[in-house]
């Protein structure tokens, strides 16, 4: 209102939900990701950078040949766990942003089963849906782990 625009409640606007969810999710994960990757980068031996510089590597070549290989294990494990949780779709964050006006654009398996199980009492149906998502998530984790072990040599097991 101070800038001359009309007041609008974006929380109940279905077209705004994907933007709000994406920005909130990126903001939420940015802090942990930056701590994780900065700590791994700080643990890379500085002698490797010095040796690369003596060999004539510029800054981008140092990143490509020293930093990225140092991060390879963490990137692989992060990718495996993210692929395994792909069906979870961050249901907790969606439940925080959830309103009846945004059900059409915000519903994912987790929020749908929450509404059916907790609010409507259909426990057997939601148990089956939860078991289905867990089995599919395990299958994705297993496949991503196998692919990661073959490509990078790093995996969960």
């Amino acid at each position: 209102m101070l800038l001359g625009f009309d007041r609008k409640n974006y929380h109940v606007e279905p077209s705004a939900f994907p933007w709000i969810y994406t920005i909130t999710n990126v903001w939420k994960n940015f802090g942990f990701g930056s701590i994780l990757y900065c700590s791994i980068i700080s643990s890379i031996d500085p002698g490797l950078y010095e040796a690369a510089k003596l060999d004539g590597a510029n800054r981008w070549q140092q990143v490509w040949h020293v930093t990225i290989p140092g991060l390879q294990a963490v990137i692989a494990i992060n990718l495996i766990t993210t692929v395994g949780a792909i069906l979870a779709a961050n249901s907790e964050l969606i439940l925080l942003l959830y309103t009846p006006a945004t059900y059409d654009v915000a519903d994912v398996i987790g929020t749908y089963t929450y509404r059916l199980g907790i609010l409507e009492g259909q426990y057997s149906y939601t148990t089956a849906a939860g078991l289905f998502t867990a089995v599919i998530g395990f299958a994705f984790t297993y496949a991503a782990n196998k692919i990661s072990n073959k490509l990078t040599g790093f995996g969960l097991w």
Side-chain angles (χ1 to χ4, degrees):
M1 298 256 319
L2 293 174
L3 299 175
F5 296 108
D6 292 333
R7 219 177 252 194
K8 191 167 186 179
N9 189 0
Y10 288 104
H11 187 65
V12 295
E13 187 69 35
S15 63
F17 181 83
W19 289 101
I20 294 170
Y21 173 74
T22 302
I23 291 168
T24 307
N25 204 22
V26 168
W27 182 257
K28 181 179 74 84
N29 291 323
F30 185 78
F32 176 72
S34 60
I35 290 171
L36 178 68
Y37 288 108
C38 284
S39 66
I40 298 299
I41 289 171
S42 69
S43 71
I44 296 174
D45 184 17
L48 295 173
Y49 291 106
E50 292 172 14
K53 190 181 283 188
L54 285 175
D55 287 342
N58 62 24
R59 194 70 177 151
W60 288 108
Q61 290 170 330
Q62 290 176 28
V63 167
W64 187 255
H65 296 288
V66 178
T67 307
I68 301 288
L71 292 172
Q72 193 173 17
V74 174
I75 292 171
I77 291 173
N78 232 359
L79 182 64
I80 292 167
T81 57
T82 302
V83 166
I86 202 162
L87 288 180
N90 204 355
S91 299
E92 297 85 16
L93 179 60
I94 293 173
L95 282 172
L96 290 172
L97 300 171
Y98 216 35
T99 63
T102 59
Y103 281 171
D104 292 340
V105 294
D107 243 353
V108 295
I109 295 172
T111 57
Y112 180 69
T113 56
Y114 167 77
R115 279 192 300 120
L116 286 181
I118 302 297
L119 302 179
E120 296 180 17
Q122 296 182 14
Y123 304 120
S124 60
Y125 180 76
T126 56
T127 301
L131 181 63
F132 173 76
T133 57
V135 168
I136 298 299
F138 176 74
F140 283 170
T141 303
Y142 186 80
N145 188 57
K146 285 289 188 189
I147 292 168
S148 177
N149 275 331
K150 288 213 187 277
L151 294 178
T152 66
F154 298 106
L156 296 175
W157 63 86

